[in-house]
């Protein structure tokens, strides 16, 4: 199994920046896609950004041009640099990873516990 631990959330003023980190640990054969989702109260969880093992990234429309996802595959860590933050970015941000289990017999998804990002106007 994979455990994901997020860090870097907090309170920031509109226009400011934050950097989220998510480190994967546990027993697994390999990790493929890693990404970030967010969920605000009363709303569905939405994709913020994800990145494949080869470095190809995809972004949600609302964050394109402001957020950048990156990863350190050797350290099984994914980062989300968030710039020009807006109050509507306020949400709980969740890390996600797809991985092959220890025996490489099944592909599974893991979620972090979430980290709160609050952007004040």
């Amino acid at each position: 199994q994979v455990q994901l631990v997020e860090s870097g959330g907090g309170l920031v003023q509109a226009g400011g920046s934050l950097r989220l980190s998510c480190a994967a640990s546990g027993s697994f054969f390999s990790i493929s896609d890693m990404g970030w989702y967010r969920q605000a109260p009363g709303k569905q969880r939405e994709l913020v950004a994800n990145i494949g093992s080869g470095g190809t990234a995809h972004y949600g429309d609302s964050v394109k041009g402001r957020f950048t996802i990156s990863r350190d595959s050797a350290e099984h860590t994914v980062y989300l640099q968030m710039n020009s933050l807006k109050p509507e970015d306020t949400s709980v941000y969740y890390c996600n990873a797809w991985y092959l289990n220890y025996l490489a017999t099944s592909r599974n998804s893991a979620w972090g516990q979430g980290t709160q990002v609050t952007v004040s106007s």
Side-chain angles (χ1 to χ4, degrees):
Q1 280 192 333
V2 166
Q3 293 80 45
L4 301 174
V5 177
E6 301 124 332
S7 60
L11 173 65
V12 65
Q13 287 189 331
S17 298
L18 282 174
R19 188 186 194 218
L20 305 183
S21 300
C22 171
S25 63
S27 298
F28 51 88
F29 184 79
S30 63
I31 295 179
S32 56
D33 292 357
M34 299 187 79
W36 292 92
Y37 290 73
R38 67 187 182 187
Q39 187 169 20
K43 294 189 176 182
Q44 288 190 331
R45 189 170 294 189
E46 63 173 356
L47 172 71
V48 177
N50 62 20
I51 185 167
S53 56
T56 300
H58 296 94
Y59 296 90
D61 288 341
S62 61
V63 307
K64 284 180 182 177
R66 300 188 296 123
F67 291 10
T68 302
I69 190 169
S70 60
R71 68 188 286 173
D72 181 337
S73 293
E75 297 295 328
H76 306 301
T77 301
V78 64
Y79 305 95
L80 185 69
Q81 178 66 42
M82 305 185 292
N83 298 327
S84 303
L85 282 160
K86 305 175 181 179
E88 50 264 43
D89 294 317
T90 295
S91 193
V92 178
Y93 284 70
Y94 296 91
C95 180
N96 171 254
W98 284 91
Y99 65 97
L100 282 179
N101 70 341
Y102 159 83
L103 296 175
T105 55
S106 68
R107 188 168 180 255
N108 305 289
S109 177
W111 292 91
Q113 79 284 357
T115 185
Q116 177 70 45
V117 171
T118 302
V119 184
S120 63
S121 58

